[in-house]
Amino acid sequence: MLLIRGAHVVDPQVGLDAVRDVVVEGERIAEVAESVQVPVGAEVIDGTGKYLMPGLVDIHVHFRDPGFEYKETIETGSAAAAVGGFTDVATMPNTDPVVDTGEGVRYQIAKGDACGLIHVRPIGACTKGEKGEQLAEIGDMAHEGACMFSDDGHGVQSAGMLRTVMDYVRQFDRVVACHCEVDSLSNHGQVNEGRASTRLGLAGWPAAGEEVEIARDIDLCRLTGCALHICHISTARGAGLVRAAKAEGLPVTAEVCPHHLFLDETVLDETYDTNLKMNPPLRTPEDAAALREALVDGTIDCVVTDHAPHAPFEKEREFEAAPFGVVGLETSLPLVLTNLVATGKMSWSRLVEAMCVAPRRIARLEPVRVEEGSVADLTLVDPAFAFDVTPGLFAGKESNSAFLGAHLTGRATDTLVAGRHVLRDAKLA
């Protein structure tokens, strides 16, 4: 039995934003009250000055297993998630082999369970091998526990194929999560087309290469009625398209990454830092400002990391030859706390909605609430915990972060998964 004493509990689902004592017994919350007598034999955690919320959820990560375990494994990725305060993550299917069958889904769930850290929620591929040619085993994967479907990494280029995917996925009450990139427009671009590409002499990746496909996929959502989730949105116009779709009443949601919120193309310089290379690329300062506004006002539903570890020998190459992607599980919450919550631009309640509540809803996961009877997937946060982002921070295999050297304030100190301590005092339990 565990008593978290005197933490500021924030959970908009139950209208709670106040200091409370929370008792955890077994896998579930046994009591939430203003004051609780210490149960006999209970471990007591002092929550004074800290915030308690439902466990964080990231619905867009790459754990590289199977096939690329030299970059990350389900075990090391789970450790990174626990350190970041996450109790659940949804793993993208672009592994080797691609997760496009029920067997692949079972494999990832079993490995996640064996680690005993967090809940691993596999995302199934939309098409076989993510080649965009044949429908993947949608029903089989849904039956085995796939929480969403996506051809993340490049997206489904054929509108006809994506319509077929959406027609099938709708039958299983799941969401199609779309990587929005028109290959013929992005055309091997390395950075945002404009000032960055011109100044650095690198191939440009135009905003239109993302926005054209967002518009197309919203049209297909309207046609099929299938829920659509826009992955890693990076442009102001893209956010505007989502805002208009929501105003129309379409089942459209969207996510944004910390690097697109808090960095932009002006940080790229003649050092050609490959830790600043991601897909979609860093856009303009105006885009980043619009994304922050869209996240705060709810147009963008949730924050994700697109956690994409790469080995040093891959990132330590010429910019054009290096792979896209950065890690982010350990820094996602601290970045939002430092840049939005601490500055008064985002409330704690909105943070919980964007990082705990909405991701569960989108991925069709069981709700977690800070109330009696709910599963005890919880995150305890110290808003005054100051630290520097160094390679030693990262619990995963790699440290290819876009925020190395940053000074941040606020992070998870304790992560509970089904009542089990997986992070204690900011250290893996």
Side-chain angles (χ1 to χ4, degrees):
M1 187 176 292
L2 179 70
L3 168 62
I4 304 171
R5 167 158 279 176
H8 190 135
V9 178
V10 181
D11 186 353
Q13 302 169 102
V14 295
L16 194 52
D17 189 350
V19 174
R20 291 288 186 270
D21 289 352
V22 177
V23 178
V24 175
E25 186 171 3
E27 297 184 355
R28 299 198 170 264
I29 296 172
E31 186 176 0
V32 179
E34 291 186 22
S35 181
V36 172
Q37 185 174 355
V38 180
V40 176
E43 176 188 356
V44 179
I45 296 177
D46 184 6
T48 305
K50 297 182 179 181
Y51 285 76
L52 183 69
M53 59 193 67
L56 304 183
V57 180
D58 188 337
I59 56 173
H60 192 143
V61 305
H62 300 269
F63 278 2
R64 308 303 194 195
D65 185 354
F68 305 102
E69 291 90 346
Y70 69 93
K71 302 174 191 257
E72 191 82 287
T73 64
I74 289 175
E75 183 175 15
T76 59
S78 296
V83 168
F86 293 91
T87 61
D88 299 73
V89 298
T91 51
M92 283 295 177
N94 53 336
T95 50
D96 185 17
V98 169
V99 179
D100 56 8
T101 65
E103 181 182 6
V105 172
R106 288 196 304 273
Y107 168 83
Q108 290 197 333
I109 291 175
K111 288 206 74 173
D113 289 346
C115 293
L117 289 171
I118 63 162
H119 305 296
V120 174
R121 315 286 191 175
I123 296 172
C126 293
T127 65
K128 290 184 178 180
E130 287 201 352
K131 295 180 179 179
E133 298 168 355
Q134 295 177 282
L135 193 68
E137 300 291 341
I138 301 293
D140 188 22
M141 288 186 284
H143 177 73
E144 295 296 340
C147 65
M148 296 192 293
F149 293 92
S150 179
D151 272 11
D152 186 60
H154 47 77
V156 180
Q157 296 300 300
S158 163
M161 175 53 69
L162 185 59
R163 180 197 176 164
T164 300
V165 168
M166 295 178 88
D167 280 336
Y168 271 81
V169 170
R170 183 188 177 192
Q171 299 177 52
F172 299 97
D173 186 32
R174 296 293 197 278
V175 177
V176 174
C178 287
H179 173 120
C180 293
E181 177 181 359
V182 181
D183 287 350
S184 60
L185 286 173
S186 62
N187 196 28
H188 308 295
Q190 302 291 308
V191 296
N192 187 46
E193 183 175 284
R195 291 183 180 180
S197 60
T198 301
R199 178 164 51 86
L200 299 176
L202 294 169
W205 197 134
E210 179 178 351
E211 295 156 354
V212 167
E213 193 148 319
I214 292 174
R216 181 203 75 172
D217 294 354
I218 289 172
D219 283 342
L220 292 174
C221 168
R222 183 184 298 109
L223 175 66
T224 64
C226 179
L228 167 69
H229 182 68
I230 305 297
C231 292
H232 43 49
I233 198 164
S234 73
T235 78
R237 184 168 179 267
L241 290 166
V242 170
R243 185 176 286 114
K246 289 188 170 189
E248 187 181 337
L250 296 176
V252 174
T253 54
E255 65 185 36
V256 66
C257 302
H259 44 268
H260 292 124
L261 288 170
F262 307 125
L263 297 175
D264 58 66
E265 66 177 1
T266 63
V267 302
L268 293 159
D269 58 24
E270 285 72 18
T271 62
Y272 294 91
D273 183 356
T274 58
N275 285 337
L276 299 175
K277 181 179 180 180
M278 62 281 291
N279 183 343
L282 299 177
R283 303 294 188 183
T284 68
E286 294 76 18
D287 286 317
L291 295 175
R292 292 192 294 271
E293 179 183 348
L295 174 64
V296 171
D297 72 20
T299 297
I300 295 175
D301 299 82
C302 61
V303 177
V304 303
T305 61
D306 194 5
H307 178 80
H310 293 291
F313 77 86
E314 295 172 307
K315 276 293 192 178
E316 293 171 359
R317 293 191 285 183
E318 295 86 355
F319 200 93
E320 295 92 333
F324 293 98
V326 296
V327 297
L329 283 165
E330 295 94 338
T331 56
S332 181
L333 174 64
L335 284 162
V336 175
L337 289 170
T338 300
N339 292 288
L340 294 179
V341 176
T343 59
K345 296 174 183 176
M346 175 186 276
S347 68
W348 279 92
S349 180
R350 176 62 192 138
L351 178 146
V352 171
E353 175 67 29
M355 299 192 74
C356 311
V357 180
R360 280 191 175 85
R361 182 173 62 245
I362 292 165
R364 306 302 195 256
L365 305 181
E366 177 187 351
V368 173
R369 303 181 178 94
V370 186
E371 65 179 4
E372 182 179 340
S374 177
V375 64
D377 289 346
L378 301 169
T379 303
L380 187 63
V381 177
D382 183 351
F385 194 125
F387 65 100
D388 295 320
V389 180
T390 65
L393 170 70
F394 299 95
K397 280 196 172 185
E398 310 300 345
S399 58
N400 53 300
S401 167
F403 295 96
L404 286 172
H407 182 75
L408 303 176
T409 303
R411 63 175 292 186
T413 59
D414 295 78
T415 307
L416 274 70
V417 177
R420 293 178 294 105
H421 241 129
V422 296
L423 183 74
R424 187 192 301 266
D425 294 329
K427 297 179 181 178
L428 287 170

